[in-house]
Amino acid sequence: MGVSGEDWGYGFDYFTMSFEGVKRRIRRFREWLTEWLIYFAIVFGPWAFGTTQEWSIRVMNCVGYALGLMVLVKPLLRSRGRRSLRWESLSAGNEPVRWQRRERQFTRLLGLGTCCILLYCLISAWNARVIYHPNEWSFEYRNAITWLPHSYDQAASWDIFWQYLGLAGFFWGLRDWLLTLTPKEAERFQNEGSPSQGGSRLPVRLRRLFWVLAVNGTVLAIQGLVQRCEGGYKLLWVVVPRLHISDLDEFGPYAYRSNAAQYFNMLWPAVLGFWWAYVSSPRRKRAEENVVPRNHVGALLPCALIMAICPIVSSSRGGAIVLGINLILAAGIFMVAKWRSRWTTKAMIFLLAGTVIGGGALLGWKALAPRLEKIHEGYEDREGVFVAGRYMADDNPVFGLGPGSFDTMYQLYRRSEADEWQAYMHNDWLQTLITFGWVGGILIGFAGVLTLSHWFWSGGINGNKFFVMLLWMSLGGCLVHARFDFPFQVHSVLALFLVICAVLSCLSRRQLI
């Protein structure tokens, strides 16, 4: 007895429906796993002693690989004829085709920049000129293609490639997650034509991200402040740093106080900007006028103030200077935002800035003042390192010495064996030029400028302009730090920098439809 064509059709439809149900469950699990991996990376990075050890870097690399893989498999899990609603498709205004085309162009350019940086590191490691044997202090020379990027320390360049690959996966996984509407937002948009919820224009995922950043940063700051007041030097009260000279060297989980200051100087302006974007939302104001119960957004302001105190208490000279610059800029931004407000509001802005300076001075001025008096001596001591670094950059201007090779090659450029063997240049701008050359530097600069300019010319999540200014200020402070220190050589600081870059690459001045 044969099977009719109609029965075959029913069987195929049943199989298709079952397969779509499986894909739907996998999509939900993928979204859940992506969100919690992002939260884990944000929390784990600084608490794992700044992610400066090999084991912690490997953990962060694996998280980045997982996030990147989930971005790559996302198209395979898409239902036939159905696409996830994304914020860039809802911020097109009156010219949807034009702005959606711009967003696609931006994504392709940024993806191209990311691939070029990774390819540059990959070629440098594969086309290595030297294999360094640290146990023997010897160099094994290889035949390399000199017109391609090459490295003078193959192992170090491979480490940088795998680290950057994980960071790329983290960046793109976070960006894709932020730009995708949650199921509730998508349902609200389909039913009411408005995806925003809870009286706020900011998406749910963006709010969750900043709450995790704020709470984690505040707890981190409190731990560092308590430990500094107690006078202990063990990292998180459990680990003695390998290079411990004085009780002022460490702060919180960071063995180097300046890295802690760099982390907090990036975090507090970002949290402050998020607080402003939330409280100034037109929809939230209308909701409050209708006597909607207030949420806990007011807690973000004291969180930002606590984190802002830390660069002073850490006794980092560069951290205190950058904090002062950022406080002036933040006060100026809020003065412009509240220009037509009453004088009491403007006075409150300066009162908050004074609270940060006063609180920091009360807890940390005694240790910071002597170091500020010797600031010129500190930078004069590094001038010899900078001179050697300029020679290193001049010897290999096009492709540099190879990613990660500075530590190995610096020994050959020291003025004498009595000079300290530096692991970092204490100038990330110069160290990038030394290791990547001007070709690699252009690729990194291209990706950075593209990210910072997204708000002006592409679509995405509508971003309050003062929120965006504070995010720019946050990254600008880190770039100033990079002129006199090495924030981008510390994984947790670099990861936070990329988190803020990912947020900026999603924000747009275009209004929602």
Side-chain angles (χ1 to χ4, degrees):
M1 184 175 179
V3 180
S4 66
E6 185 176 356
D7 291 336
W8 279 109
Y10 283 131
F12 180 76
D13 290 343
Y14 177 79
F15 174 78
T16 302
M17 292 174 62
S18 301
F19 184 64
E20 290 296 328
V22 171
K23 289 204 298 184
R24 191 183 307 112
R25 292 187 180 91
I26 295 176
R27 282 199 304 271
R28 291 174 181 172
F29 175 75
R30 173 196 166 277
E31 292 293 328
W32 175 85
L33 184 60
T34 297
E35 182 169 2
W36 283 101
L37 282 176
I38 290 170
Y39 297 158
F40 172 80
I42 291 172
V43 175
F44 177 83
W47 287 103
F49 308 107
T51 316
T52 54
Q53 314 240 334
E54 290 186 5
W55 65 269
S56 55
I57 293 175
R58 290 196 187 100
V59 171
M60 289 293 288
N61 286 348
C62 291
V63 172
Y65 302 153
L67 289 171
L69 181 62
M70 282 187 281
V71 173
L72 294 177
V73 302
K74 185 177 182 178
L76 302 178
L77 301 176
R78 187 179 300 147
S79 299
R80 186 167 45 188
R82 180 181 177 183
R83 297 176 63 91
S84 300
L85 283 176
R86 294 174 64 83
W87 288 101
E88 64 265 33
S89 63
L90 306 182
S91 58
N94 297 324
E95 303 173 277
V97 177
R98 175 188 174 191
W99 285 93
Q100 289 178 15
R101 187 186 302 117
R102 286 190 176 186
E103 178 61 24
R104 286 195 296 269
Q105 291 173 351
F106 173 85
T107 303
R108 290 168 182 168
L109 285 174
L110 189 58
L112 178 63
T114 304
C115 292
C116 286
I117 294 172
L118 293 176
L119 185 62
Y120 190 92
C121 296
L122 177 63
I123 294 175
S124 297
W126 169 78
N127 188 42
R129 180 72 179 87
V130 172
I131 298 177
Y132 177 61
H133 301 284
N135 294 332
E136 304 172 3
W137 285 14
S138 63
F139 295 87
E140 178 186 338
Y141 289 89
R142 304 170 67 248
N143 293 326
I145 304 173
T146 56
W147 53 269
L148 287 176
H150 49 275
S151 172
Y152 285 83
D153 187 349
Q154 187 179 51
S157 294
W158 275 119
D159 288 342
I160 292 295
F161 169 73
W162 293 117
Q163 182 177 327
Y164 281 17
L165 182 63
L167 288 169
F170 176 60
F171 173 88
W172 283 99
L174 174 58
R175 185 173 188 270
D176 178 77
W177 178 73
L178 286 175
L179 285 174
T180 305
L181 274 71
T182 63
K184 290 184 178 180
E185 287 174 328
E187 182 181 358
R188 186 180 180 88
F189 174 76
Q190 293 171 350
N191 295 335
E192 304 177 16
S194 174
S196 57
Q197 293 181 332
S200 172
R201 172 168 294 181
L202 296 176
V204 171
R205 288 178 172 175
L206 186 66
R207 300 205 301 268
R208 290 175 183 170
L209 174 70
F210 272 91
W211 272 109
V212 172
L213 287 170
V215 173
N216 183 63
T218 303
V219 176
L220 195 71
I222 292 173
Q223 189 277 329
L225 292 172
V226 171
Q227 187 169 4
R228 179 54 62 90
C229 293
E230 287 182 347
Y233 61 87
K234 290 184 178 181
L235 303 180
L236 300 179
W237 295 297
V238 294
V239 174
V240 178
R242 184 165 54 92
L243 298 176
H244 173 69
I245 300 175
S246 71
D247 292 350
L248 299 179
D249 289 342
E250 304 84 22
F251 188 84
Y254 286 92
Y256 182 43
R257 53 180 169 247
S258 290
N259 294 144
Q262 293 149 16
Y263 186 89
F264 288 113
N265 270 334
M266 262 199 300
L267 189 54
W268 74 260
V271 172
L272 187 63
F274 170 68
W275 168 80
W276 172 257
Y278 203 104
V279 299
S280 63
S281 169
R283 300 188 181 201
R284 183 175 184 275
K285 291 179 179 178
R286 290 198 296 268
E288 290 182 352
E289 290 175 358
N290 293 328
V291 198
V292 174
R294 290 175 178 266
N295 51 32
H296 302 291
V297 68
L300 289 170
L301 189 56
C303 287
L305 296 179
I306 292 172
M307 288 184 282
I309 292 173
C310 290
I312 298 178
V313 182
S314 69
S315 71
S316 168
R317 293 172 293 194
I321 293 172
V322 172
L323 172 67
I325 295 173
N326 281 351
L327 283 175
I328 295 172
L329 293 176
I333 290 172
F334 284 119
M335 285 294 291
V336 172
K338 290 292 186 179
W339 185 251
R340 296 184 179 180
S341 300
R342 294 177 297 179
W343 68 269
T344 52
T345 303
K346 298 175 184 178
M348 184 62 66
I349 295 173
F350 291 101
L351 179 61
L352 291 175
T355 301
V356 172
I357 297 175
L362 180 65
L363 297 175
W365 182 253
K366 184 178 179 180
L368 179 62
R371 302 194 75 246
L372 287 175
E373 293 175 358
K374 300 179 181 179
I375 189 170
H376 294 291
E377 297 178 11
Y379 289 113
E380 286 175 1
D381 293 339
R382 294 180 184 176
E383 187 57 34
V385 182
F386 298 156
V387 170
R390 295 186 191 102
Y391 280 120
M392 296 172 76
D394 292 340
D395 284 350
N396 301 271
V398 180
F399 297 118
L401 296 172
S405 62
F406 172 81
D407 183 17
T408 299
M409 297 301 295
Y410 181 76
Q411 60 178 310
L412 304 179
Y413 287 84
R414 289 183 297 171
R415 292 173 295 181
S416 67
E417 294 184 359
D419 289 350
E420 185 178 356
W421 187 342
Q422 298 288 342
Y424 306 110
M425 176 53 64
H426 287 271
N427 182 343
D428 273 347
W429 292 81
L430 182 56
Q431 184 164 337
T432 300
L433 184 62
I434 292 169
T435 54
F436 281 85
W438 61 262
V439 175
I442 288 175
L443 294 176
I444 296 173
F446 169 77
V449 171
L450 195 65
T451 301
L452 294 175
S453 65
H454 179 270
W455 187 77
F456 292 102
W457 65 284
S458 193
I461 301 169
N462 176 247
N464 181 286
K465 62 181 179 181
F466 300 110
F467 178 29
V468 174
M469 289 179 185
L470 286 165
L471 292 180
W472 287 338
M473 187 186 80
S474 172
L475 298 184
C478 188
L479 293 174
V480 173
H481 271 294
R483 173 60 181 81
F484 304 101
D485 233 312
F486 50 91
F488 297 128
Q489 311 305 318
V490 179
H491 194 287
S492 60
V493 179
L494 180 56
L496 178 60
F497 188 90
L498 291 179
V499 168
I500 298 174
C501 285
V503 173
L504 280 172
S505 70
C506 298
L507 298 180
S508 171
R509 62 189 176 91
R510 301 297 297 174
Q511 297 290 330
L512 294 173
I513 58 175

